[in-house]
Amino acid sequence: MVVAKNNSSLSKSPTSSRHPLDPLTFEEINLSSSLVKEQAHLGIELLFETIMLIEPPKSEVITFLPGDPITRDVFVVVLNYKTERLYELEISLDLKKITRCEHIPGVQPAFMFGDINMDFNEWEAHIKKDPKLIEALKKRGITDASLVMIDPWPISNFGNKEEEGKRLAIGRCWVRREDGDNGYARPIEGLSPILDLNKNKIVEIQDFGVVPIPPEDGNYAARYQSTFRTDLKPIEITQPEGPSFQVNGTEVCWQKWRLRVGYTKREGLVLHTIGYEDGGEVRPIIYRAALSEMVVPYGDPTNDHYKKQVFDAGEVGIGRCANSLELGCDCLGEIYYFDMALFNIQGDATELKNVVCMHEEDYGILWKHTDNRIGETETRRSRRLVISTVATVGNYEYGFFWYFYQDGGIDYEVKLTGIVNSAAVDPGVEPKNGTLVAPQVVAHNHQHYFNVRLDMMVDGQNNSVYEVDTVTDPISDNNPHGNAFSVKRTLIEKEEEAVRIIDPFSARYWSVTNNSKQNYLGQPVSYKIAPGENVLPFHHDEAVIMKRAAFMTGHMWVTAFDEKEMFAAGDYPNQHPGNDGLPSWMKKNRALTDTDVVVWYTFGHNHIPRLEDWPVMPVAYTGFSIRPSGFFDRNPALDVPPSVINCCGESVCACSH
Ligand code: CO
């Protein structure tokens, strides 16, 4: 049974019961854009790239008590697409006043399509009327442009002088065989219109030569399947007494966990003030956690495929691409949905219904032991709290999942699905840098990198980060048999040392430690960050993407907290030449010992496409773990009660005495 509950409090006016970190409401977004339109005098041709809460200083948030006054300040980025000038603004909603308005030269905003009267579909229809495009399509035997799909892709930055100062995109084209079939099965190879997004027109048709349109359908929709397997019996997840979490506004309480749910257009899901109740107090662990950037660089050198390197957060806005999870197929069980308010490019508030999904899952065994001598088994079932969103970016889907466990553990997982990006080759061609997934259809080798910014707060704001390796002890008088191995902890003292990579053969992890708080054995308390699947880029060091997405070149980055440092590839990655964000901040070489640190974990998924990824890709999973490591005095889940159901058949069992 799927129960949709809407959190309507998000769209109500601010009241004293609200929290300083609550995402902007519908009304606050509309007020912000109208203040810009009325007071800033930046012209009427304004497109809104960002409207987001300026989070109050941590000190205010941490000491906040319900009913305290809150200040609501908003950060706005707008582009005047006629004058091609981009502005950053800060607004005090309390004073209804613009407090900063600054022209930012030399950068491009994230993707926005259309103008003050045009949405994306109207924009695409408008582009498809260009006679140059119609002519190029005709060369390929395509006379019905209504079946053509143009996906705008970032143009990257290869130092091309004519592109400087222009807001451009590359149109990548496919054609459906009929309305509603999978257009990605038929790439229109070699046809790349260059789009001027300020002028809403094609400036140039790049034609790399005609390649035949691949012949076969690649349909996955139910209506195209002739048979379905018939041996599936129903599974029902029921929670007759409801879920075990409580929601108050954006605050979530689940057993001993406490956290807040937020959302931005750029990052999507944001979690705040994550803590765990222990001995009657909530002990903080993470102040703020969110995807800071992601990039998908491709590995094919032909035509202009080498320019495929999309930053889906900073260039596209992964939060804006999120699905409404209303249909009930994304999550199973007793679901709580959060609605969020975002905005369209005209600055009008829009509602993302059911965009964040929260539910509990049974997760197998939490812990277990059988004492054979007395014939007694103690087993506890694990349950996890799942908070997630799913975004569609063109052909691809990304699910972003946070999992909270009863033993104090946290996992972050990205689920990758959707349709692999497709290109076409001539019949008989065996591509070197990709996989032929259907006749004449190639899916290029690529990688997906994600960087998660974790503003750590392990039992307080002042933390230190240690790299922890397991090492072989030398043979000595103390280790005459050579069996000894031990742990080597290395403090990461300065930012210049704080670009680290995984080392699976040292079982490497990173420990975020509060040296001023001890567990009951007198050791400083820690949480550790442990890698899951990971990889490094296979691009040459000289490749453009290595500068533009330098955050791929290290897995663990540590910085001293600065509220302005939010995004791993910088504030404006679109068409940016690179080295902004993490690589530039590290040069400050700030001290990292017993101070307010931020850790940035990068993980990559290497995608050599398989035939089984076509025509729609089964979910691939990637992520990492955050685990208590001497944070608690013992297993914090001893107090999880035995299951009430008899779980153990004939033997003597703790849950059926
Ligand atoms: Co992929």
Side-chain angles (χ1 to χ4, degrees), residues 574-590:
N574 192 13
Q575 295 181 246
H576 197 283
N579 284 333
D580 200 3
L582 281 172
S584 70
W585 306 329
M586 307 309 280
K587 291 202 186 107
K588 299 178 187 175
N589 206 21
R590 291 165 290 194

mmCIF file of all heavy atoms in Angstrom, residues 574-590:
data_model
loop_
_atom_site.group_PDB
_atom_site.id
_atom_site.type_symbol
_atom_site.label_atom_id
_atom_site.label_comp_id
_atom_site.label_asym_id
_atom_site.label_seq_id
_atom_site.Cartn_x
_atom_site.Cartn_y
_atom_site.Cartn_z
ATOM 1 N N ASN A 574 29.388 26.152 -16.031
ATOM 2 C CA ASN A 574 28.970 26.095 -17.433
ATOM 3 C C ASN A 574 29.911 26.941 -18.301
ATOM 4 O O ASN A 574 30.084 28.138 -18.061
ATOM 5 C CB ASN A 574 27.523 26.600 -17.551
ATOM 6 C CG ASN A 574 26.916 26.293 -18.910
ATOM 7 O OD1 ASN A 574 27.459 25.515 -19.684
ATOM 8 N ND2 ASN A 574 25.786 26.916 -19.202
ATOM 9 N N GLN A 575 30.536 26.324 -19.302
ATOM 10 C CA GLN A 575 31.477 26.949 -20.228
ATOM 11 C C GLN A 575 32.727 27.479 -19.530
ATOM 12 O O GLN A 575 33.467 28.292 -20.084
ATOM 13 C CB GLN A 575 30.799 28.078 -21.029
ATOM 14 C CG GLN A 575 29.692 27.564 -21.945
ATOM 15 C CD GLN A 575 29.021 28.656 -22.761
ATOM 16 O OE1 GLN A 575 27.852 28.946 -22.565
ATOM 17 N NE2 GLN A 575 29.742 29.271 -23.684
ATOM 18 N N HIS A 576 32.950 27.023 -18.304
ATOM 19 C CA HIS A 576 34.102 27.505 -17.538
ATOM 20 C C HIS A 576 35.360 26.730 -17.938
ATOM 21 O O HIS A 576 35.301 25.524 -18.135
ATOM 22 C CB HIS A 576 33.823 27.329 -16.043
ATOM 23 C CG HIS A 576 34.729 28.139 -15.167
ATOM 24 N ND1 HIS A 576 36.032 27.760 -14.914
ATOM 25 C CD2 HIS A 576 34.535 29.293 -14.507
ATOM 26 C CE1 HIS A 576 36.596 28.665 -14.124
ATOM 27 N NE2 HIS A 576 35.710 29.612 -13.861
ATOM 28 N N PRO A 577 36.513 27.407 -18.073
ATOM 29 C CA PRO A 577 37.719 26.681 -18.482
ATOM 30 C C PRO A 577 38.273 25.757 -17.403
ATOM 31 O O PRO A 577 39.041 24.852 -17.716
ATOM 32 C CB PRO A 577 38.718 27.800 -18.802
ATOM 33 C CG PRO A 577 38.225 28.986 -18.059
ATOM 34 C CD PRO A 577 36.733 28.851 -17.973
ATOM 35 N N GLY A 578 37.932 25.992 -16.140
ATOM 36 C CA GLY A 578 38.348 25.043 -15.119
ATOM 37 C C GLY A 578 39.197 25.617 -14.012
ATOM 38 O O GLY A 578 39.481 26.814 -13.973
ATOM 39 N N ASN A 579 39.574 24.716 -13.100
ATOM 40 C CA ASN A 579 40.382 25.024 -11.921
ATOM 41 C C ASN A 579 39.678 25.925 -10.920
ATOM 42 O O ASN A 579 40.308 26.470 -10.016
ATOM 43 C CB ASN A 579 41.738 25.622 -12.303
ATOM 44 C CG ASN A 579 42.674 24.543 -12.808
ATOM 45 O OD1 ASN A 579 42.543 23.373 -12.423
ATOM 46 N ND2 ASN A 579 43.583 24.909 -13.690
ATOM 47 N N ASP A 580 38.361 26.079 -11.049
ATOM 48 C CA ASP A 580 37.615 26.785 -10.007
ATOM 49 C C ASP A 580 37.169 25.749 -8.966
ATOM 50 O O ASP A 580 37.253 24.553 -9.187
ATOM 51 C CB ASP A 580 36.405 27.497 -10.638
ATOM 52 C CG ASP A 580 35.890 28.612 -9.736
ATOM 53 O OD1 ASP A 580 36.490 28.855 -8.671
ATOM 54 O OD2 ASP A 580 34.884 29.243 -10.096
ATOM 55 N N GLY A 581 36.696 26.247 -7.833
ATOM 56 C CA GLY A 581 36.212 25.333 -6.800
ATOM 57 C C GLY A 581 37.359 24.722 -6.018
ATOM 58 O O GLY A 581 38.342 25.394 -5.686
ATOM 59 N N LEU A 582 37.271 23.435 -5.760
ATOM 60 C CA LEU A 582 38.224 22.779 -4.848
ATOM 61 C C LEU A 582 39.693 23.065 -5.160
ATOM 62 O O LEU A 582 40.445 23.433 -4.258
ATOM 63 C CB LEU A 582 37.963 21.266 -4.824
ATOM 64 C CG LEU A 582 36.770 20.834 -3.958
ATOM 65 C CD1 LEU A 582 36.484 19.345 -4.152
ATOM 66 C CD2 LEU A 582 37.007 21.135 -2.486
ATOM 67 N N PRO A 583 40.149 22.922 -6.426
ATOM 68 C CA PRO A 583 41.588 23.128 -6.647
ATOM 69 C C PRO A 583 42.049 24.537 -6.286
ATOM 70 O O PRO A 583 43.194 24.724 -5.863
ATOM 71 C CB PRO A 583 41.776 22.832 -8.139
ATOM 72 C CG PRO A 583 40.425 22.830 -8.742
ATOM 73 C CD PRO A 583 39.449 22.513 -7.648
ATOM 74 N N SER A 584 41.170 25.539 -6.451
ATOM 75 C CA SER A 584 41.602 26.897 -6.094
ATOM 76 C C SER A 584 41.548 27.111 -4.579
ATOM 77 O O SER A 584 42.417 27.765 -4.015
ATOM 78 C CB SER A 584 40.781 27.949 -6.839
ATOM 79 O OG SER A 584 39.467 27.985 -6.352
ATOM 80 N N TRP A 585 40.553 26.528 -3.909
ATOM 81 C CA TRP A 585 40.482 26.713 -2.456
ATOM 82 C C TRP A 585 41.643 26.033 -1.746
ATOM 83 O O TRP A 585 42.137 26.519 -0.731
ATOM 84 C CB TRP A 585 39.150 26.174 -1.903
ATOM 85 C CG TRP A 585 37.947 26.752 -2.578
ATOM 86 C CD1 TRP A 585 37.829 28.010 -3.116
ATOM 87 C CD2 TRP A 585 36.703 26.093 -2.827
ATOM 88 N NE1 TRP A 585 36.578 28.160 -3.669
ATOM 89 C CE2 TRP A 585 35.863 27.007 -3.506
ATOM 90 C CE3 TRP A 585 36.194 24.821 -2.533
ATOM 91 C CZ2 TRP A 585 34.561 26.695 -3.896
ATOM 92 C CZ3 TRP A 585 34.911 24.507 -2.907
ATOM 93 C CH2 TRP A 585 34.102 25.435 -3.588
ATOM 94 N N MET A 586 42.090 24.876 -2.284
ATOM 95 C CA MET A 586 43.166 24.143 -1.607
ATOM 96 C C MET A 586 44.448 24.963 -1.552
ATOM 97 O O MET A 586 45.290 24.762 -0.680
ATOM 98 C CB MET A 586 43.477 22.824 -2.325
ATOM 99 C CG MET A 586 42.307 21.917 -2.573
ATOM 100 S SD MET A 586 41.313 21.583 -1.139
ATOM 101 C CE MET A 586 42.283 20.332 -0.332
ATOM 102 N N LYS A 587 44.592 25.880 -2.525
ATOM 103 C CA LYS A 587 45.825 26.683 -2.570
ATOM 104 C C LYS A 587 45.927 27.621 -1.374
ATOM 105 O O LYS A 587 46.996 28.123 -1.061
ATOM 106 C CB LYS A 587 45.874 27.488 -3.869
ATOM 107 C CG LYS A 587 46.061 26.604 -5.082
ATOM 108 C CD LYS A 587 46.642 27.398 -6.254
ATOM 109 C CE LYS A 587 46.695 26.538 -7.499
ATOM 110 N NZ LYS A 587 45.684 26.913 -8.495
ATOM 111 N N LYS A 588 44.783 27.878 -0.705
ATOM 112 C CA LYS A 588 44.844 28.739 0.481
ATOM 113 C C LYS A 588 45.631 28.059 1.596
ATOM 114 O O LYS A 588 46.091 28.694 2.523
ATOM 115 C CB LYS A 588 43.423 29.048 0.966
ATOM 116 C CG LYS A 588 42.572 29.797 -0.051
ATOM 117 C CD LYS A 588 41.162 30.024 0.509
ATOM 118 C CE LYS A 588 40.243 30.610 -0.561
ATOM 119 N NZ LYS A 588 38.850 30.726 -0.088
ATOM 120 N N ASN A 589 45.686 26.723 1.518
ATOM 121 C CA ASN A 589 46.469 25.928 2.469
ATOM 122 C C ASN A 589 46.144 26.246 3.928
ATOM 123 O O ASN A 589 47.021 26.377 4.780
ATOM 124 C CB ASN A 589 47.971 26.102 2.207
ATOM 125 C CG ASN A 589 48.737 24.872 2.686
ATOM 126 O OD1 ASN A 589 48.163 23.793 2.842
ATOM 127 N ND2 ASN A 589 50.012 25.046 2.955
ATOM 128 N N ARG A 590 44.856 26.372 4.196
ATOM 129 C CA ARG A 590 44.425 26.651 5.564
ATOM 130 C C ARG A 590 44.696 25.449 6.474
ATOM 131 O O ARG A 590 44.728 24.302 6.018
ATOM 132 C CB ARG A 590 42.921 26.972 5.568
ATOM 133 C CG ARG A 590 42.594 28.304 4.907
ATOM 134 C CD ARG A 590 41.115 28.442 4.584
ATOM 135 N NE ARG A 590 40.729 27.542 3.503
ATOM 136 C CZ ARG A 590 39.567 27.635 2.841
ATOM 137 N NH1 ARG A 590 38.691 28.594 3.155
ATOM 138 N NH2 ARG A 590 39.262 26.792 1.878
#
